[in-house]
Amino acid sequence: MSVEPSKRGGKVRRAWVGRLPGRLWLLVGLAAIGAAACGSSSSSSSSSSSSSSSSSGGSSAAFNPTNFNTSTVSWLAANQNATGTPPSTPTGTLTMAGDTDVAGMLIPQAEYDTIGYTVLLAMDRTVVGYPPSANFSTATSVVADAASSYTVSSDGLTYTFKIRSGMRWAVTDPTTGSPVTSDNGTTVTSQDFVRGLQEECSPAIAGYGNPSYYTATIKGYSDFCNSFESQSATDTAAQLAAFMSANPISGLSTPDSSTLVVTLATPASDFLNIMAMFFAAAAPPSSVDYVPLTAGNPIWSDGPYEVQSYASGTKLVLVPNPYWGATSGTNTTATSWSNDPTRHRYVAEISIDESLSSAASADEVQEEIEAGTLDLEWDTTVPSSSLPTLANHSNSEFGSFPSPGTTNPYLVFNVQKSGPLENVKVRQALEYAIDKVAMNKIYGGAATNEPLDQVFSPGSEGYIAGYDPYPTANDEGNAATCKSKLKAAGYPNGFSLSDAYRTSGNHPAVFEEVQKDFKACGVTVTGIPISKGYYTSSGILDASATQAAKAQWDISEPGWVPDWFGPANARSILPDLFKPGGGADWGFFDNSAVDSLTTQAETATTLSQATSYWQQANKAVMAQAPFIPFQTQLTNVMRAASVHNAIFCPFTAQYEIDQIWLS
């Protein structure tokens, strides 16, 4: 997911590649090479510890998420504020505000941003998911959700999920909140989960969802998806439904209404993480009666809340789903339900204002939360200007949470442009240029940002403890080394580059730092300011390597947040950034060694094997230097004093709204 500094949001999508291979990207704020290069001199400068493996690291518990829990993080319990007794009947209105609409009209198969996930966690269920927990390791561990249990065959190719009883659909009109369609109140079945996976490939959803996780894993899904996506985007609902009915997916079967069997083409150690994404959520039978992403379509829920009203870009209101917690009849009072082990329902309404002015939304939201007139952020995070006074956590309403795998921002090279950036030795030289400590300061300093020297950050799969292939003292850059290596590469007098940078938030300051640091190396950087359309053809989005070769820009500073966290999240990072067709391979970097290692990692039968391949791919990327990593970050959020049981969810970059009760 691509990232904005004080906003959270959705991944940028390239309609021309169908889907991004990798979530949650924060708009903020919230989500993805030649063999000879592996032996280049750049990698020889890494420390001897670079061969060690680790899934954690960092200088503090926040950057070392394996130790992030209330026992080791002194401020965390106070921030969670679980004091008091939750209400026995949903009470009060939880308020949120910002300036961004959800991306996919709350269709699980089309929502691909952190704010969309914030809502979907309260509305929709996947066969497996993640338990709300202040312990980061627990919160990123897969558990049964809509499935009461699951089994995996000894060869790792067959997953059998038993669907829980008692789940029922609520299908509502987003304008009136009134129930619609014949399946309102009916039972959720295993066939509904197959339907959801089929709809992920609908041509009407192309460019919103991300079926590539499933085309790479589920047997027969790639053929189905390619055929379905090739259908006309103007097909009627009946035509789309007819295609789905006539084209079963060989790797999906339903022996009965409560059993879903998924057969993989190759083993995948991260397949449960893939099934935990909302792209794999169920869809009710009536969903095929509508063309997806058509304004006014019914919105469905099988979780604790449903939509009462939704005005795009204006306001979204959730209320209790009357079918949650009741196997027959209705129920609007339950605050927990044994058939839903991960979700609760403590507030009577969740009201989300999407209409703030974007120019000042982060500051306005911060002021309102501190004043107690607003409960939570919606699409913003704590503005950098507020961080110095909050970083010591003397204010219990401030939380700063790990997001392992995040690299935001970073500098990407357009490697397709003819000129100096075609030369790997030039790119390697520029790796020494950036003062990463200065970059940290732009985003609030060392308390919430840590220099990053490789593809993966501490706590993510593929991270290598101590690995720094282009070291500089204190990560502050080394202009002399940069100049020397540029001279050796054939550029003793430097050259000029064009930088496409965003004009909002912290991005102008990032551009100025890059410009200053490159100038010290003898490289002149001219800015191409972009106020809108950063991920469109007016920005750094090109439809092919040929187009990238003709583009104006040479360098740019996007950001990335992985689609999931935990011990098996490398697939949602490296392939997106450095593999052809990757959702954020902006410079069209392509290397056969990296591609081969990626394939081996994705099809490894064990997590340890996968991690080893990802670490090798990490080194192969850094040897080719297609990007300069700047930093990894914590996610800084705020809650009002009235908010209780504030449990941070790394997948939404927000507190879990279904876990909160109010004073």
Side-chain angles (χ1 to χ4, degrees), residues 587-649:
F588 285 87
F589 174 71
D590 186 5
N591 181 279
S592 59
V594 172
D595 294 347
S596 176
L597 289 165
T598 296
T599 299
Q600 292 177 85
E602 291 179 340
T603 58
T605 56
T606 67
L607 180 59
S608 60
Q609 289 175 342
T611 299
S612 175
Y613 285 124
W614 287 123
Q615 290 176 333
Q616 293 175 61
N618 185 359
K619 290 184 178 181
V621 169
M622 294 308 300
Q624 286 291 300
F627 87 133
I628 303 176
F630 292 165
Q631 62 188 19
T632 187
Q633 299 173 314
L634 304 181
T635 300
N636 304 305
V637 291
M638 200 78 181
R639 64 162 179 82
S642 58
V643 171
H644 292 259
N645 205 37
I647 300 175
F648 182 78
C649 176

Coordinates of all heavy atoms in Angstrom, one line a residue, residues 587-649:
G587 N 9.4 2.1 -11.1 CA 10.5 2.3 -12.0 C 10.7 1.2 -13.0 O 11.7 1.1 -13.7
F588 N 9.8 0.2 -13.0 CA 9.8 -1.0 -13.8 C 11.1 -1.7 -13.7 O 11.7 -2.1 -14.7 CB 9.5 -0.6 -15.3 CG 8.1 -0.3 -15.5 CD1 7.5 0.9 -15.3 CD2 7.2 -1.3 -15.9 CE1 6.2 1.2 -15.4 CE2 5.8 -1.1 -16.1 CZ 5.3 0.2 -15.8
F589 N 11.6 -1.9 -12.5 CA 12.7 -2.7 -12.2 C 12.4 -4.2 -12.5 O 11.3 -4.7 -12.1 CB 13.1 -2.5 -10.7 CG 14.2 -3.4 -10.2 CD1 15.5 -3.2 -10.7 CD2 14.0 -4.4 -9.3 CE1 16.5 -4.0 -10.2 CE2 15.0 -5.2 -8.9 CZ 16.3 -5.1 -9.3
D590 N 13.3 -4.9 -13.1 CA 13.1 -6.3 -13.5 C 14.4 -7.0 -13.4 O 15.4 -6.6 -14.1 CB 12.5 -6.4 -14.9 CG 12.1 -7.8 -15.3 OD1 12.2 -8.7 -14.4 OD2 11.7 -8.0 -16.4
N591 N 14.5 -8.0 -12.6 CA 15.7 -8.8 -12.4 C 15.4 -10.3 -12.3 O 14.6 -10.6 -11.4 CB 16.5 -8.3 -11.2 CG 17.8 -9.0 -11.0 OD1 17.8 -10.1 -10.5 ND2 18.9 -8.4 -11.5
S592 N 16.0 -11.1 -13.1 CA 15.6 -12.5 -13.1 C 16.0 -13.2 -11.8 O 15.3 -14.1 -11.4 CB 16.3 -13.2 -14.3 OG 17.7 -13.1 -14.2
A593 N 17.1 -12.8 -11.2 CA 17.5 -13.4 -9.9 C 16.5 -13.1 -8.8 O 16.1 -14.0 -8.1 CB 18.9 -12.9 -9.5
V594 N 16.0 -11.9 -8.8 CA 15.0 -11.5 -7.8 C 13.7 -12.3 -8.1 O 13.1 -12.8 -7.2 CB 14.8 -10.0 -7.7 CG1 13.6 -9.7 -6.9 CG2 16.0 -9.3 -7.3
D595 N 13.3 -12.4 -9.3 CA 12.1 -13.1 -9.7 C 12.2 -14.5 -9.3 O 11.2 -15.1 -8.8 CB 11.9 -12.9 -11.2 CG 11.6 -11.5 -11.7 OD1 11.4 -10.7 -10.8 OD2 11.6 -11.3 -12.9
S596 N 13.3 -15.2 -9.6 CA 13.5 -16.6 -9.2 C 13.4 -16.8 -7.7 O 12.7 -17.7 -7.2 CB 14.8 -17.1 -9.8 OG 15.0 -18.4 -9.4
L597 N 14.1 -16.0 -7.0 CA 14.0 -16.1 -5.5 C 12.6 -15.8 -5.0 O 12.2 -16.5 -4.0 CB 15.1 -15.2 -4.9 CG 16.5 -15.5 -5.1 CD1 17.4 -14.4 -4.8 CD2 16.9 -16.8 -4.2
T598 N 11.9 -14.9 -5.6 CA 10.6 -14.6 -5.1 C 9.7 -15.8 -5.3 O 8.9 -16.2 -4.5 CB 10.0 -13.4 -5.9 OG1 10.8 -12.2 -5.6 CG2 8.6 -13.1 -5.6
T599 N 9.8 -16.4 -6.5 CA 9.0 -17.6 -6.8 C 9.3 -18.7 -5.8 O 8.4 -19.4 -5.3 CB 9.2 -18.1 -8.2 OG1 8.8 -17.1 -9.1 CG2 8.4 -19.4 -8.5
Q600 N 10.5 -18.9 -5.5 CA 10.9 -20.0 -4.6 C 10.4 -19.7 -3.2 O 10.0 -20.6 -2.4 CB 12.4 -20.1 -4.5 CG 13.0 -20.7 -5.8 CD 14.5 -20.8 -5.8 OE1 15.1 -21.7 -5.3 NE2 15.2 -19.8 -6.3
A601 N 10.4 -18.4 -2.8 CA 9.9 -18.0 -1.5 C 8.4 -18.2 -1.4 O 7.9 -18.7 -0.4 CB 10.3 -16.6 -1.2
E602 N 7.7 -17.8 -2.4 CA 6.2 -17.9 -2.4 C 5.7 -19.4 -2.4 O 4.6 -19.6 -2.0 CB 5.7 -17.1 -3.6 CG 5.8 -15.6 -3.5 CD 5.3 -14.9 -4.7 OE1 5.1 -15.5 -5.7 OE2 5.1 -13.7 -4.5
T603 N 6.5 -20.3 -3.0 CA 6.1 -21.7 -3.1 C 6.8 -22.6 -2.1 O 6.7 -23.8 -2.1 CB 6.3 -22.2 -4.5 OG1 7.7 -22.1 -4.8 CG2 5.5 -21.4 -5.5
A604 N 7.6 -22.0 -1.1 CA 8.2 -22.8 -0.1 C 7.2 -23.5 0.8 O 6.2 -23.0 1.1 CB 9.2 -21.9 0.7
T605 N 7.6 -24.7 1.2 CA 6.7 -25.5 2.0 C 6.7 -25.2 3.5 O 5.8 -25.5 4.2 CB 7.0 -27.0 1.8 OG1 8.3 -27.3 2.2 CG2 6.7 -27.5 0.4
T606 N 7.8 -24.5 3.9 CA 7.9 -24.2 5.3 C 8.2 -22.7 5.4 O 8.8 -22.1 4.5 CB 9.0 -25.0 6.0 OG1 10.3 -24.6 5.5 CG2 8.8 -26.5 5.9
L607 N 7.9 -22.1 6.6 CA 8.1 -20.7 6.8 C 9.6 -20.4 6.8 O 10.1 -19.4 6.3 CB 7.5 -20.3 8.1 CG 7.7 -18.8 8.5 CD1 7.1 -17.9 7.5 CD2 7.0 -18.6 9.9
S608 N 10.4 -21.4 7.4 CA 11.9 -21.1 7.5 C 12.5 -21.1 6.1 O 13.4 -20.3 5.8 CB 12.5 -22.2 8.4 OG 12.3 -23.5 7.8
Q609 N 12.0 -22.0 5.2 CA 12.5 -22.0 3.9 C 12.2 -20.7 3.1 O 13.0 -20.1 2.5 CB 11.9 -23.2 3.1 CG 12.5 -24.5 3.5 CD 11.8 -25.7 2.8 OE1 10.7 -25.5 2.2 NE2 12.4 -26.9 2.8
A610 N 10.9 -20.3 3.3 CA 10.4 -19.1 2.7 C 11.3 -17.9 3.2 O 11.7 -17.0 2.4 CB 9.0 -18.8 3.0
T611 N 11.5 -17.8 4.5 CA 12.3 -16.7 5.0 C 13.7 -16.6 4.5 O 14.2 -15.6 4.1 CB 12.3 -16.8 6.6 OG1 11.0 -16.8 7.1 CG2 13.1 -15.7 7.2
S612 N 14.3 -17.8 4.3 CA 15.6 -17.8 3.7 C 15.7 -17.3 2.3 O 16.6 -16.5 1.9 CB 16.2 -19.3 3.7 OG 17.4 -19.4 3.1
Y613 N 14.7 -17.7 1.5 CA 14.6 -17.2 0.1 C 14.4 -15.7 0.1 O 14.9 -14.9 -0.7 CB 13.6 -17.9 -0.7 CG 13.9 -19.3 -1.1 CD1 13.2 -20.4 -0.7 CD2 15.1 -19.5 -1.8 CE1 13.5 -21.7 -1.1 CE2 15.5 -20.8 -2.2 CZ 14.7 -21.9 -1.8 OH 15.0 -23.2 -2.2
W614 N 13.5 -15.2 1.0 CA 13.2 -13.8 1.1 C 14.5 -13.0 1.4 O 14.7 -11.9 0.9 CB 12.1 -13.5 2.0 CG 10.7 -13.9 1.5 CD1 9.8 -14.7 2.2 CD2 10.0 -13.4 0.4 NE1 8.7 -14.8 1.4 CE2 8.8 -14.0 0.3 CE3 10.4 -12.6 -0.7 CZ2 7.9 -13.8 -0.7 CZ3 9.5 -12.4 -1.7 CH2 8.3 -13.0 -1.7
Q615 N 15.2 -13.5 2.3 CA 16.5 -12.8 2.7 C 17.5 -12.8 1.6 O 18.1 -11.8 1.4 CB 17.1 -13.5 3.9 CG 16.3 -13.3 5.2 CD 16.9 -14.1 6.4 OE1 17.6 -15.1 6.2 NE2 16.7 -13.6 7.6
Q616 N 17.5 -13.8 0.8 CA 18.4 -13.8 -0.4 C 17.8 -12.8 -1.4 O 18.6 -12.1 -2.1 CB 18.4 -15.2 -1.0 CG 19.1 -16.3 -0.2 CD 19.0 -17.6 -0.8 OE1 19.5 -17.8 -1.9 NE2 18.4 -18.6 -0.1
A617 N 16.5 -12.7 -1.6 CA 15.9 -11.8 -2.5 C 16.2 -10.3 -2.0 O 16.4 -9.4 -2.8 CB 14.4 -12.0 -2.6
N618 N 16.2 -10.1 -0.7 CA 16.5 -8.8 -0.1 C 17.9 -8.4 -0.5 O 18.1 -7.3 -1.0 CB 16.4 -9.0 1.4 CG 16.6 -7.7 2.2 OD1 16.8 -6.7 1.7 ND2 16.6 -7.8 3.5
K619 N 18.8 -9.3 -0.4 CA 20.2 -8.9 -0.8 C 20.3 -8.7 -2.3 O 21.1 -7.8 -2.8 CB 21.2 -10.0 -0.4 CG 21.4 -10.1 1.1 CD 22.4 -11.2 1.4 CE 22.7 -11.3 2.9 NZ 23.7 -12.3 3.3
A620 N 19.6 -9.5 -3.1 CA 19.7 -9.4 -4.6 C 19.1 -8.0 -5.0 O 19.7 -7.4 -5.9 CB 18.9 -10.5 -5.2
V621 N 18.1 -7.6 -4.4 CA 17.5 -6.3 -4.7 C 18.5 -5.2 -4.3 O 18.8 -4.3 -5.1 CB 16.2 -6.0 -3.9 CG1 15.7 -4.6 -4.0 CG2 15.1 -6.9 -4.5
M622 N 19.0 -5.2 -3.1 CA 19.9 -4.2 -2.7 C 21.2 -4.1 -3.5 O 21.8 -3.0 -3.7 CB 20.3 -4.4 -1.2 CG 19.1 -4.2 -0.2 SD 18.2 -2.6 -0.5 CE 19.5 -1.4 -0.2
A623 N 21.7 -5.3 -4.0 CA 22.8 -5.3 -4.9 C 22.6 -4.5 -6.2 O 23.5 -3.8 -6.7 CB 23.2 -6.7 -5.2
Q624 N 21.3 -4.5 -6.6 CA 21.0 -3.8 -7.8 C 20.6 -2.3 -7.6 O 20.5 -1.5 -8.5 CB 19.8 -4.5 -8.6 CG 20.3 -5.8 -9.3 CD 21.1 -5.5 -10.4 OE1 20.8 -4.8 -11.4 NE2 22.4 -6.0 -10.4
A625 N 20.3 -2.0 -6.3 CA 20.0 -0.6 -5.9 C 18.9 0.1 -6.8 O 19.1 1.2 -7.3 CB 21.3 0.2 -5.9
P626 N 17.7 -0.5 -6.9 CA 16.6 0.1 -7.6 C 15.9 1.2 -6.8 O 15.1 1.9 -7.4 CB 15.7 -1.0 -8.0 CG 15.9 -2.0 -6.8 CD 17.3 -1.9 -6.4
F627 N 16.2 1.3 -5.5 CA 15.6 2.2 -4.6 C 16.5 2.6 -3.5 O 17.5 1.9 -3.3 CB 14.2 1.7 -4.1 CG 14.3 0.9 -2.9 CD1 13.4 1.2 -1.8 CD2 15.2 -0.2 -2.7 CE1 13.4 0.4 -0.6 CE2 15.2 -0.9 -1.5 CZ 14.3 -0.6 -0.5
I628 N 16.3 3.7 -2.8 CA 17.0 4.0 -1.6 C 16.0 4.0 -0.4 O 15.1 4.8 -0.4 CB 17.6 5.4 -1.7 CG1 18.6 5.5 -2.9 CG2 18.4 5.7 -0.4 CD1 19.2 6.9 -3.1
P629 N 16.1 3.0 0.5 CA 15.2 3.0 1.6 C 15.6 4.2 2.6 O 16.8 4.4 2.8 CB 15.5 1.7 2.3 CG 16.9 1.3 1.8 CD 17.1 1.9 0.5
F630 N 14.7 4.9 3.1 CA 14.9 6.0 4.0 C 14.7 5.6 5.5 O 15.5 5.7 6.3 CB 14.0 7.2 3.7 CG 14.3 7.9 2.4 CD1 13.4 8.8 1.9 CD2 15.5 7.7 1.7 CE1 13.6 9.4 0.8 CE2 15.7 8.3 0.5 CZ 14.7 9.2 0.0
Q631 N 13.5 5.0 5.7 CA 13.1 4.8 7.1 C 11.9 3.9 7.2 O 11.1 3.7 6.3 CB 12.8 6.1 7.8 CG 11.6 6.9 7.1 CD 11.3 8.3 7.7 OE1 12.2 8.9 8.3 NE2 10.2 8.8 7.5
T632 N 11.7 3.3 8.4 CA 10.5 2.6 8.7 C 9.9 3.4 9.9 O 10.6 4.2 10.6 CB 10.7 1.2 9.1 OG1 9.5 0.5 9.3 CG2 11.6 1.1 10.4
Q633 N 8.6 3.3 10.0 CA 7.9 4.2 10.9 C 6.9 3.5 11.9 O 6.5 2.4 11.6 CB 7.0 5.2 10.1 CG 7.8 6.1 9.2 CD 6.9 7.0 8.3 OE1 5.9 6.4 7.8 NE2 7.1 8.2 8.2
L634 N 6.6 4.2 13.0 CA 5.5 3.8 13.8 C 4.3 4.5 13.3 O 4.4 5.6 12.7 CB 5.8 4.2 15.3 CG 7.1 3.6 15.9 CD1 7.2 4.0 17.3 CD2 7.1 2.1 15.7
T635 N 3.1 4.0 13.6 CA 1.9 4.7 13.3 C 1.4 5.4 14.5 O 1.2 4.8 15.6 CB 0.8 3.7 12.8 OG1 1.3 3.0 11.7 CG2 -0.5 4.4 12.5
N636 N 1.2 6.7 14.4 CA 0.8 7.6 15.5 C -0.6 8.0 15.5 O -1.1 8.6 14.5 CB 1.7 8.8 15.5 CG 3.2 8.5 15.5 OD1 3.7 7.8 16.3 ND2 3.9 9.0 14.5
V637 N -1.4 7.5 16.4 CA -2.8 7.8 16.5 C -3.3 8.4 17.8 O -2.5 8.3 18.8 CB -3.6 6.5 16.2 CG1 -3.4 6.0 14.7 CG2 -3.2 5.4 17.1
M638 N -4.5 8.9 17.8 CA -5.0 9.6 19.0 C -6.4 9.2 19.2 O -7.1 8.8 18.3 CB -4.9 11.1 18.7 CG -5.0 12.0 19.9 SD -3.3 12.1 20.7 CE -3.8 13.1 22.1
R639 N -6.8 9.1 20.5 CA -8.1 8.9 20.9 C -8.6 9.9 21.9 O -7.8 10.5 22.5 CB -8.3 7.5 21.5 CG -7.5 7.3 22.8 CD -7.9 6.1 23.6 NE -7.1 6.0 24.8 CZ -7.3 6.7 26.0 NH1 -8.3 7.6 26.0 NH2 -6.6 6.5 27.0
A640 N -9.9 10.1 22.0 CA -10.4 11.0 23.0 C -10.4 10.3 24.4 O -10.3 9.0 24.5 CB -11.9 11.3 22.7
A641 N -10.4 11.1 25.4 CA -10.4 10.5 26.8 C -11.6 9.6 27.1 O -11.5 8.7 27.9 CB -10.4 11.7 27.8
S642 N -12.7 9.8 26.4 CA -13.9 9.0 26.6 C -13.8 7.6 26.0 O -14.7 6.8 26.2 CB -15.1 9.8 26.0 OG -14.9 10.0 24.6
V643 N -12.8 7.4 25.2 CA -12.7 6.1 24.5 C -12.1 5.0 25.4 O -11.0 5.2 25.9 CB -11.9 6.2 23.2 CG1 -11.6 4.9 22.6 CG2 -12.6 7.1 22.2
H644 N -12.7 3.9 25.6 CA -12.2 2.8 26.4 C -12.0 1.6 25.5 O -12.7 1.4 24.5 CB -13.3 2.4 27.5 CG -13.4 3.5 28.5 ND1 -12.8 3.4 29.8 CD2 -14.1 4.7 28.5 CE1 -13.1 4.5 30.5 NE2 -13.9 5.3 29.7
N645 N -11.0 0.7 26.0 CA -10.7 -0.5 25.3 C -10.2 -0.2 23.9 O -10.6 -0.8 22.9 CB -11.8 -1.5 25.2 CG -11.4 -2.9 25.1 OD1 -10.3 -3.3 25.7 ND2 -12.1 -3.7 24.4
A646 N -9.3 0.8 23.8 CA -8.7 1.1 22.5 C -7.6 0.2 22.1 O -6.5 0.3 22.6 CB -8.2 2.6 22.6
I647 N -7.9 -0.8 21.3 CA -7.0 -1.8 20.8 C -6.5 -1.5 19.4 O -7.4 -1.5 18.5 CB -7.6 -3.2 20.9 CG1 -8.0 -3.5 22.4 CG2 -6.6 -4.3 20.4 CD1 -8.7 -4.8 22.5
F648 N -5.3 -1.2 19.2 CA -4.8 -0.9 17.9 C -4.8 -2.1 17.0 O -4.4 -3.2 17.4 CB -3.4 -0.3 18.0 CG -2.8 0.1 16.7 CD1 -3.2 1.3 16.1 CD2 -1.8 -0.7 16.0 CE1 -2.6 1.7 14.9 CE2 -1.3 -0.3 14.8 CZ -1.7 1.0 14.2
C649 N -5.2 -1.9 15.7 CA -5.2 -2.9 14.7 C -4.2 -2.5 13.6 O -4.4 -1.5 12.9 CB -6.6 -3.1 14.1 SG -6.6 -4.3 12.7

